[in-house]
Amino acid sequence: MVRTVGSWSLLAVVTVAVTVGLTLLGVPSAALFAALAVGIVLALCSLAPARVPRRAGQVAQAVLGIYIGTMVHQDSLASLGPHWPIVLAVVVGTLAISILAGALMGLRRDISPLTGALALVAGGASGLVAIARDLGGDDRVVAVVQYLRVGLVTATMPLVVLFIFRPDRSHPSAALGQTATAPWYLSIGLIAVIAVAGVTLGKLVHLPGGGLLGPMAVTVLLEVTGHDFGLSVPQALVQIGYVLIGWQAGVAFTRESLHAIGRALPLAVGLIAALTAATAGLGMLLSHVTGMTPLEGYLATSPGGVYAVLATAVETGSNVTFIVTAQVLRILVMLFAAPLVARGLVALTGRFARRRQSREITDDSKEPIAVAD
């Protein structure tokens, strides 16, 4: 008992300290990065708790699902105007490229096709990490590769914008306005109701990853119909959700799994670079069809780094509303479609997957988080 309390206390204290440091450095989703990194280090030193309680993982999924759902607004699709078909086509193209890259990664003997597909889907990193184990994938691999994608895209974006697009920064755009929000106590009540309703919906329709996608679907419905009652997820709750998801993947690491993931990182970096280049090409197509600038096309189709995209769009005087709406649409499509497509991919390669899947990574994490139980 004392050992358990001590391990949880150590995990919490170190995670908070690292989160503060990463936040000061401007790292996006710092709490999740910190929780993942600290969980890995303590697990490898045999100082971490055995696992995150299943119910805690369920609550974290629901909170993140609702938080992502609040990114959608009633006038979001209207901001795309007549260009919504090409934007949707580009998003679907991004999904197809992501799944192809994931299938290539799944050719490795130590990574299953499902894990590879989820690891390289270009959108909703925290959501995909949250539901990876529920879908039968390895959430440790998904976490490392997904946040490697976010980190690389975010880090290279300023260089791409500066040296390729050379924007005029003398006329910045206005940032997106904030709508009135409900008091925190009312939002907490709404979150609880939406979480229960969303998880129940996920059970009824057998939605993959329903613990996250069910509450997200209910939230999106409320947002687009204008019946959200000013719902706003408190940032403290979001950060707790990030921490739980990061711990869930981090504390499950072993030395063997870390070595296996390390061997896959060169391939992952190459596939992320190829994915970024391919989506930039889709951005140029979007720019040509819609008449937007090449920079706006690039920002609208960037496969990650939403906060960096928003900051760059404002600073360069780009069409912020269009770009952010396209990015949110990308995230939603990836989160809803990726589990279905990934499972389809596994069905097609099923006769090979069991033979090729390495015990080195998957055995410790194949027990699902039974969100729909």
Side-chain angles (χ1 to χ4, degrees):
M1 179 66 179
V2 174
R3 179 181 174 84
T4 300
V5 173
S7 62
W8 277 110
S9 300
L10 178 63
L11 181 64
V13 170
V14 178
T15 297
V16 170
V18 175
T19 298
V20 172
L22 293 180
T23 301
L24 294 175
L25 292 174
V27 174
S29 303
L32 198 151
F33 275 109
L36 175 64
V38 172
I40 291 173
V41 171
L42 294 185
L44 295 178
C45 296
S46 301
L47 296 174
R51 64 180 60 203
V52 173
R54 184 171 64 91
R55 291 297 182 189
Q58 292 175 341
V59 172
Q61 288 188 36
V63 169
L64 291 181
I66 295 169
Y67 177 61
I68 295 170
T70 59
M71 296 180 184
V72 180
H73 300 290
Q74 195 170 12
D75 58 350
S76 293
L77 292 180
S79 68
L80 299 179
H83 303 308
W84 69 264
I86 182 62
V87 173
L88 183 59
V90 166
V91 169
V92 173
T94 301
L95 175 63
I97 294 169
S98 299
I99 296 296
L100 175 60
L104 293 175
M105 188 168 179
L107 293 176
R108 289 187 56 92
R109 294 181 58 84
D110 47 12
I111 295 177
S112 71
L114 174 61
T115 297
L118 294 174
L120 281 166
V121 167
S126 59
L128 289 168
V129 173
I131 63 177
R133 195 184 303 187
D134 181 45
L135 296 172
D138 191 312
D139 56 350
R140 295 168 294 183
V141 177
V142 174
V144 171
V145 177
Q146 278 289 339
Y147 284 96
L148 179 63
R149 170 183 63 82
V150 173
L152 289 176
V153 171
T154 302
T156 57
M157 186 177 298
L159 300 177
V160 171
V161 172
L162 177 63
F163 293 109
I164 296 180
F165 296 104
R166 302 178 182 276
D168 177 10
R169 300 173 184 264
S170 60
H171 302 288
S173 302
L176 293 177
Q178 298 292 322
T179 57
T181 58
W184 68 268
Y185 50 86
L186 178 57
S187 287
I188 293 293
L190 288 171
I191 289 168
V193 171
I194 293 171
V196 172
V199 171
T200 303
L201 174 66
K203 287 182 180 179
L204 292 176
V205 302
H206 303 289
L207 184 67
L212 179 132
L213 299 183
M216 184 192 304
V218 173
T219 305
V220 170
L221 179 63
L222 293 175
E223 291 284 346
V224 298
T225 58
H227 295 92
D228 63 334
F229 305 103
L231 170 65
S232 175
V233 183
Q235 276 302 306
L237 202 56
V238 175
Q239 299 308 312
I240 292 173
Y242 279 153
V243 166
L244 289 172
I245 295 303
W247 282 350
Q248 177 181 281
V251 300
F253 267 83
T254 63
R255 289 181 176 86
E256 291 76 14
S257 63
L258 186 64
H259 291 157
I261 294 172
R263 290 195 298 270
L265 287 184
L267 174 61
V269 171
L271 290 173
I272 291 169
L275 172 64
T276 303
T279 56
L282 292 176
M284 296 306 99
L285 173 64
L286 180 65
S287 169
H288 176 74
V289 172
T290 62
M292 304 185 74
T293 66
L295 173 60
E296 289 170 330
Y298 165 74
L299 293 175
T301 58
S302 173
V306 172
Y307 299 113
V309 166
L310 175 59
T312 303
V314 171
E315 185 179 349
T316 58
S318 300
N319 187 335
V320 177
T321 303
F322 183 96
I323 290 169
V324 171
T325 300
Q327 284 286 341
V328 170
L329 181 62
R330 171 181 64 84
I331 293 171
L332 292 177
V333 169
M334 297 297 158
L335 283 174
F336 277 105
L340 299 174
V341 176
R343 282 191 165 178
L345 177 65
V346 171
L348 292 175
T349 60
R351 64 180 181 274
F352 305 108
R354 184 179 298 275
R355 190 188 327 166
R356 292 175 46 250
Q357 188 170 347
S358 169
R359 295 179 180 274
E360 203 168 30
I361 288 182
T362 56
D363 274 9
D364 288 342
S365 65
K366 67 183 180 181
E367 179 185 348
I369 300 173
V371 175
D373 283 355

